[in-house]
Amino acid sequence: QVAARALATVRGVHVLGAPRQRIGCVAFTVDGHHPHDIGSHLGEHGIAVRVGHLCAQPYLRALGTTAAVRASFGSYNSADDVERLVRALEALR
């Protein structure tokens, strides 16, 4: 939930889905940027994400898109990692 809330504060970022509880991942799109370009940009900042249809084509279509970016978090991640992701996305503007 922390990452989804943080990403939602970035202008142009759209967090996909609104589950009551999230697991350790959050999918999103960014206005004006293809998910593959976002993935490349984040990779240049040392942030690994999954991009594309995420093996969820019917769900993505239901959400109005065909591709997205997915950031996954584990027990080894920290609030600093979320902040690095947010800063890197803000740099897209």
Side-chain angles (χ1 to χ4, degrees):
Q1 298 285 25
V2 172
R5 284 192 300 269
L7 289 171
T9 67
V10 180
R11 189 175 71 217
V13 171
H14 302 281
V15 175
L16 302 179
R20 282 181 251 159
Q21 291 185 320
R22 284 193 184 269
I23 57 174
C25 64
V26 59
F28 60 93
T29 60
V30 180
D31 290 341
H33 299 279
H34 190 279
H36 289 107
D37 296 333
I38 297 165
S40 293
H41 171 77
L42 293 174
E44 292 169 2
H45 287 81
I47 300 169
V49 294
R50 170 80 185 214
V51 298
H53 56 71
L54 311 176
C55 298
Q57 298 95 320
Y59 182 61
L60 289 175
R61 274 194 303 274
L63 294 173
T65 190
T66 57
V69 180
R70 184 180 67 216
S72 300
F73 300 90
S75 59
Y76 48 83
N77 291 109
S78 67
D80 289 341
D81 295 322
V82 174
E83 182 58 32
R84 283 182 53 231
L85 174 60
V86 167
R87 282 194 313 268
L89 289 171
E90 288 174 339
L92 282 171
R93 292 187 267 160

